[in-house]
Amino acid sequence: MTVRQARWPAYTTAVLFLGYAVGKAVYAAQGKLGFPGGPVVPAADYERYAREMMDVAAAQWMAAANGLLGAALVLLTVTGAGRRVPRALMLLVLAVALAGVGAGAVIMVADGFVGIGIGWQWHHGVIGIAAMGLLAATTHSYARATRPGHAELTGRS
């Protein structure tokens, strides 16, 4: 049986991850916490973050790198190079990505729709839901198309 893989969720998720990486890189270059268009981070949080965690710019550069890795990961789900990665490993890495994106999405949704004091607005909550849904769709499409006993990718949808 031939299973067609939907590629659009992976491409759309890659664009979201790249947008995240660019936003984090902009803030890293400026030495700012947060994300463009997101809530303003109070000045006291900068000092506490630097004291308890790490340099603000370094943290933002690491987040930018995570965005690039996320984009590469989802693109691997729809490429021949990704098919050479063992299925179990790819699904494990996708599950970890789902957990990470899900944690951020839950915070954005809760604050955007209920208000827990961070400053995310309702439209940020919608973005959180969309990001989680797209990554879940990418994972499901990959898992379905690579099930044992099914043909490799044969078409686009």
Side-chain angles (χ1 to χ4, degrees), residues 23 60 119:
Q60 293 289 54

Side-chain angles (χ1 to χ4, degrees), residues 82-95 139-150 152:
R83 298 305 170 149
R84 291 190 287 279
V85 175
R87 181 177 190 268
L89 177 60
M90 181 68 86
L91 288 172
L92 174 65
V93 174
L94 285 166
T139 302
H140 177 266
S141 181
Y142 171 82
R144 184 172 172 265
T146 60
R147 284 187 305 219
H150 289 80
E152 286 291 315

Side-chain angles (χ1 to χ4, degrees), residues 59-71:
Q60 293 289 54
W61 283 119
M62 287 175 47
N66 280 337
L68 294 175
L69 287 172

Side-chain angles (χ1 to χ4, degrees), residues 76-153:
L76 277 175
T77 68
V78 293
T79 64
R83 298 305 170 149
R84 291 190 287 279
V85 175
R87 181 177 190 268
L89 177 60
M90 181 68 86
L91 288 172
L92 174 65
V93 174
L94 285 166
V96 169
L98 274 165
V101 170
V106 165
I107 291 168
M108 288 173 70
V109 170
D111 195 38
F113 292 117
V114 178
I116 57 175
I118 298 170
W120 294 109
Q121 302 297 311
W122 69 268
H123 56 280
H124 298 118
V126 171
I127 293 168
I129 291 169
M132 190 63 197
L134 285 165
L135 185 54
T138 298
T139 302
H140 177 266
S141 181
Y142 171 82
R144 184 172 172 265
T146 60
R147 284 187 305 219
H150 289 80
E152 286 291 315
L153 199 63

